[in-house]
Amino acid sequence: MKKIRNFLLCLDLMLACILMGAAAEEGMERLVKMQTGINNDQPVMQINRANEELSEVSTQDLAKKKVALTFDDGPNALYTEGLLNGLKERGVRATFFLLGKAVEISPQLVEQMHADGHLIGNHSYEHVNLSSLNDEAAIAQVDMTNEAIYKITGKYPEYIRPPYGCWKSNLDYETTMIEVLWNVDPLDWKTDNAAAVVERVLSEVQENDIILLHDASESSVNAAFEIIDKLTAEGYVFVTVDELLFD
């Protein structure tokens, strides 16, 4: 069922890329300005039945359900610092897909992300639909963001989340980056109702899911903290997307 659900998700995203057009671009551009402060199932552990006693650590690991919390469009000059502090207090590492333009505005926040052990990925330079650009322009959006992040962290990002989930397959060969989409999208950027965002996530999330959020408002940050607290109580453990995809 998981593979079928992910396959259908990819089909939906492809259709969305075709239908979005200029209206979506304009709406997200306003969001980016606000943010910059300008106004498959994991393999089950095999147990050696010759030794019936499992260690306490092994039993705990077997019971944990992994999920990845991801944040797009940052770093946000107003809200990302509070988010990072709350994640650190909870011992949670997340994945941040950053805009190159915002990276240049708030490099200290990228430094903090890197120091705290979060995974940093690419979300284009200006939040544009990469599939609507010619190859040269699309690659420039990716490369400028990679360079901005490298100057701060000393490491080039390996993962990319293209805005709107729209990506050209030939760019895989040009950029050699790994595309990361999502399974759960509560549309937190559309509302300031944190409780509604939390409810949407809790009603949809399953083991090994990737949750999409944005560090662009106080309500989204508060929702993220409540999601972490409630899913932790349900036995979930939060990991970065590379751990989810390859561990």
Side-chain angles (χ1 to χ4, degrees):
M1 286 298 296
K2 189 77 171 180
K3 291 182 179 179
I4 295 174
R5 190 160 69 95
N6 289 343
F7 175 73
L8 293 175
L9 173 64
C10 291
L11 289 180
D12 289 342
L13 287 172
M14 291 175 63
L15 181 60
C17 292
I18 296 173
L19 298 178
M20 272 182 192
E25 295 278 354
E26 181 180 352
M28 289 305 298
E29 182 178 349
R30 290 196 298 269
L31 177 63
V32 172
K33 289 181 179 179
M34 291 172 57
Q35 294 162 341
T36 54
I38 299 173
N39 210 33
N40 296 351
D41 296 339
Q42 299 297 310
V44 177
M45 181 180 68
Q46 294 184 348
I47 302 171
N48 183 357
R49 292 302 177 187
N51 182 357
E52 290 294 335
E53 292 187 3
L54 291 175
S55 70
E56 181 181 351
V57 173
S58 297
T59 304
Q60 291 174 351
D61 289 345
L62 189 63
K64 289 185 181 297
K65 300 175 288 186
K66 293 181 180 179
V67 67
L69 200 59
T70 67
F71 297 91
D72 284 8
D73 299 353
N76 184 284
L78 298 177
Y79 302 108
T80 300
E81 183 177 6
L83 173 62
L84 291 173
N85 292 338
L87 293 175
K88 190 171 185 178
E89 290 173 3
R90 291 165 172 79
V92 167
R93 291 186 302 133
T95 302
F96 289 84
F97 292 100
L98 306 182
L99 296 172
K101 192 171 184 178
V103 168
E104 294 172 350
I105 293 173
S106 301
Q108 74 283 359
L109 295 175
V110 182
E111 290 178 0
Q112 185 177 347
M113 284 177 197
H114 181 62
D116 289 350
H118 300 293
L119 183 64
I120 297 175
N122 189 317
H123 197 48
S124 82
Y125 187 79
E126 297 173 298
H127 203 288
V128 293
N129 186 331
L130 297 175
S131 67
S132 69
L133 303 178
N134 62 46
D135 289 354
E136 182 179 2
I139 292 170
Q141 285 281 326
V142 175
D143 287 349
M144 286 191 297
T145 302
N146 282 345
E147 288 295 335
I149 293 170
Y150 176 79
K151 287 179 181 179
I152 299 168
T153 67
K155 184 177 180 180
Y156 286 105
E158 298 178 13
Y159 299 87
I160 184 168
R161 174 172 285 163
Y164 315 108
C166 299
W167 185 243
K168 290 181 174 181
S169 60
N170 64 295
L171 293 182
D172 290 333
Y173 303 98
E174 297 288 347
T175 66
T176 67
M177 299 190 74
I178 300 170
E179 181 186 7
V180 178
L181 299 179
W182 57 87
N183 304 101
V184 180
D185 179 6
L187 302 175
D188 60 310
W189 58 275
K190 281 188 172 183
T191 180
D192 60 1
N193 187 336
V197 173
V198 173
E199 177 58 31
R200 290 170 189 167
V201 171
L202 297 182
S203 66
E204 296 180 27
V205 70
Q206 298 179 31
E207 183 177 2
N208 297 323
D209 272 349
I210 298 174
I211 301 169
L212 167 62
L213 291 170
H214 301 78
D215 46 335
S217 68
E218 183 178 4
S219 61
S220 288
V221 171
N222 289 337
F225 294 154
E226 189 171 350
I227 289 166
I228 291 169
D229 294 343
K230 290 189 173 181
L231 289 183
T232 297
E234 293 180 15
Y236 283 91
V237 60
F238 290 87
V239 299
T240 51
V241 295
D242 55 336
E243 295 176 83
L244 203 62
L245 295 175
F246 297 111
D247 279 4

